[in-house]
Amino acid sequence: MTIYSFETLPSTQRWLADKAAAGEVEIPCAVITEFQSDGIGSRNNRWIGKRGNFFASVAVKEADLPEDLPLTAVSIYFAWTMKKVLQDLGSEAWVKWPNDLYLKQRKIGGCITAKKGDLLIAGIGLNIVDAPRDFGVLDISMAPMQLLETFLKELEKKRPWKQIFSNYSLEFCKSRNFRTHSGDETVDLKDAVLQSDGTLMIGKRRIVSQR
């Protein structure tokens, strides 16, 4: 898979979406930058981090994802894949529903997935060397490019969603200590029940990840 590398970009996800739309990159591919000045965060927030942190995006065709992967679970799929890589390297990172990477009670990164036609573009940010106040830093040392290459190798294994869901559901209980957003509403996850398609049921209400 081709990896495009830059010293600085406003947003790896926007760069990749624009290049893919213009037919200027061959899919699948990834992009990484040493510094990102205007990254995409959850709920239209910006994800800004210090130089040396992990800022990358990957574009894959929907047909190249595991056949049993529901689109409602795509963000979980990419976030869990990164967590699996980090875990294999000795980290205690875990995935808070649906796509946030946490270390204990502090967020250390996240994954935002956008669907563009038959493409899925996942942007991933991770605090490797430094973090803003109230956020955490990864508990292992890892060069960003090495981490991206390892992540891409894990993606190539195309682990079935059934297998990922089985593992992810075991740690979902950690998410119940937090809240999430559904539109403009803040939702408590204390009584949430994880569904096999990655959505949540809270009472009679279904919560679907919008990212």
Side-chain angles (χ1 to χ4, degrees), residues 66-210:
E67 292 183 358
D68 66 337
L69 177 63
L71 283 178
T72 48
V74 165
S75 285
I76 296 175
Y77 170 77
F78 285 112
W80 186 92
T81 299
M82 177 56 79
K83 188 222 78 160
K84 176 70 167 58
V85 168
L86 296 174
Q87 186 180 60
D88 289 348
L89 293 168
S91 174
E92 295 185 2
W94 60 280
V95 178
K96 170 188 165 291
W97 190 92
N99 60 348
D100 291 327
L101 290 159
Y102 267 66
L103 192 63
K104 296 182 178 178
Q105 302 299 305
R106 288 183 180 265
K107 183 176 178 178
I108 61 171
C111 171
I112 300 290
T113 306
K115 191 174 187 301
K116 305 290 184 180
D118 66 342
L119 297 183
L120 288 161
I121 303 176
I124 304 175
L126 189 63
N127 297 329
I128 292 181
V129 297
D130 201 0
R133 184 179 178 179
D134 298 328
F135 286 73
V137 177
L138 185 63
D139 54 344
I140 59 174
S141 178
M142 190 73 172
M145 181 61 80
Q146 184 182 2
L147 179 56
L148 177 59
E149 291 172 344
T150 308
F151 173 76
L152 296 177
K153 288 179 181 177
E154 181 64 32
L155 274 184
E156 290 173 356
K157 296 177 182 178
K158 293 177 65 172
R159 295 183 186 275
W161 168 244
K162 182 178 180 180
Q163 176 186 342
I164 291 175
F165 178 78
S166 177
N167 286 278
Y168 175 65
S169 60
L170 293 176
E171 70 175 24
F172 176 73
C173 59
K174 297 179 181 179
S175 292
R176 292 201 177 94
N177 296 320
F178 294 84
R179 296 180 176 184
T180 192
H181 289 81
S182 178
D184 295 328
E185 181 183 357
T186 301
V187 180
D188 196 321
L189 297 179
K190 180 178 64 175
D191 298 318
V193 179
L194 180 65
Q195 305 298 296
S196 61
D197 62 355
T199 63
L200 300 180
M201 290 299 297
I202 301 179
K204 296 182 179 180
R205 181 178 178 186
R206 182 177 295 273
I207 307 294
V208 180
S209 168
Q210 301 298 315

Side-chain angles (χ1 to χ4, degrees), residues 1 16-17 20 25-31 57-61 78 119-122:
M1 184 185 298
L16 195 47
V25 293
E26 186 175 347
I27 308 299
C29 65
V31 58
S57 292
V58 57
V60 297
K61 293 182 179 179
F78 285 112
L119 297 183
L120 288 161
I121 303 176

